[in-house]
Amino acid sequence: MQNSSYRNSAKTALGGIVAALSVTLMFLTSVIPTLTYALPAAAGILLVLMVVDVDKKWAFGVYATVSILSLLVLPDKEAAVMYVFFFGHYPILKAILEGRLHGVLLWVLKFLAFNVSVVLAYCVIVFVFQLPIEEMEDYGKWAVLGLLGLGNVVFVIYDVALSRLVTLYMLKWRKAFRKIMRF
């Protein structure tokens, strides 16, 4: 029984560390505003540790914690919303989808998840937080679709990079990490 509570303590500690690092990365969007999308993506990547070494339920708990804290305390609401609607939950969703599906259906669902998440995120950014997007009018009526198309290209790059980081972690770093965390 003591061993089980020790493992839960290690999982809780890891969750706290991942949450703290994620919130710190999210705060950096205030210091480096050009990284409004890159830093939430990096914060989401940290959830891989929870997904791989602990459990998807624990990872979801960390995602919820970081999401709530980001929405409450971050000055950069756009970054917070992008984390909540996509970057935070995508590593968990990716693990679930890739564990069950393969091929074309897998990618269709990934693209669907990305596009729905991004459209909802921008609806919240524009209509709830009322952040101005006047710059879009300067590029014409097709600017939104063009940006969404470009976003899909970047999404594929992000997905492949995330897969490669997971593979690198599993092959090179996991053994040392588990030894430190005593899992």
Side-chain angles (χ1 to χ4, degrees):
M1 190 67 166
Q2 184 182 14
N3 195 18
S4 174
S5 67
Y6 177 75
R7 284 192 190 123
N8 282 337
S9 297
K11 291 175 185 179
T12 303
L14 178 61
I17 291 167
V18 169
L21 287 172
S22 295
V23 171
T24 301
L25 284 172
M26 296 296 290
F27 261 113
L28 286 176
T29 60
S30 303
V31 179
I32 313 167
T34 55
L35 298 178
T36 295
Y37 300 109
L39 290 171
I45 289 170
L46 290 174
L47 282 174
V48 168
L49 294 172
M50 296 301 295
V51 172
V52 171
D53 279 323
V54 180
D55 183 283
K56 291 174 194 75
K57 291 177 188 173
W58 284 74
F60 186 77
V62 172
Y63 156 70
T65 301
V66 173
S67 295
I68 291 167
L69 288 172
S70 294
L71 287 170
L72 289 175
V73 299
L74 274 182
D76 188 347
K77 296 301 182 199
E78 186 175 7
V81 168
M82 290 308 294
Y83 180 86
V84 170
F85 278 86
F86 181 70
F87 291 116
H89 69 76
Y90 186 70
I92 303 166
L93 179 64
K94 178 178 172 64
I96 293 168
L97 290 177
E98 289 180 353
R100 297 179 183 174
L101 302 170
H102 301 284
V104 175
L105 181 59
L106 172 65
W107 278 101
V108 167
L109 290 176
K110 285 181 178 183
F111 277 114
L112 183 65
F114 171 75
N115 285 288
V116 167
S117 296
V118 169
V119 168
L120 287 175
Y122 273 96
C123 286
V124 169
I125 289 167
V126 171
F127 297 113
V128 175
F129 290 107
Q130 297 185 351
L131 295 176
I133 57 165
E134 289 90 23
E135 303 91 31
M136 295 298 269
E137 294 172 1
D138 295 340
Y139 298 107
K141 63 182 179 180
W142 299 105
V144 172
L145 290 176
L147 283 174
L148 189 59
L150 183 60
N152 278 276
V153 172
V154 173
F155 164 69
V156 171
I157 295 167
Y158 175 73
D159 184 82
V160 170
L162 188 57
S163 294
R164 291 190 179 184
L165 282 171
V166 169
T167 301
L168 180 65
Y169 172 72
M170 297 294 288
L171 295 175
K172 299 270 185 186
W173 301 327
R174 187 175 191 209
K175 186 177 178 182
F177 180 76
R178 289 179 68 87
K179 187 175 181 181
I180 292 168
M181 290 305 295
R182 297 185 182 151
F183 283 133

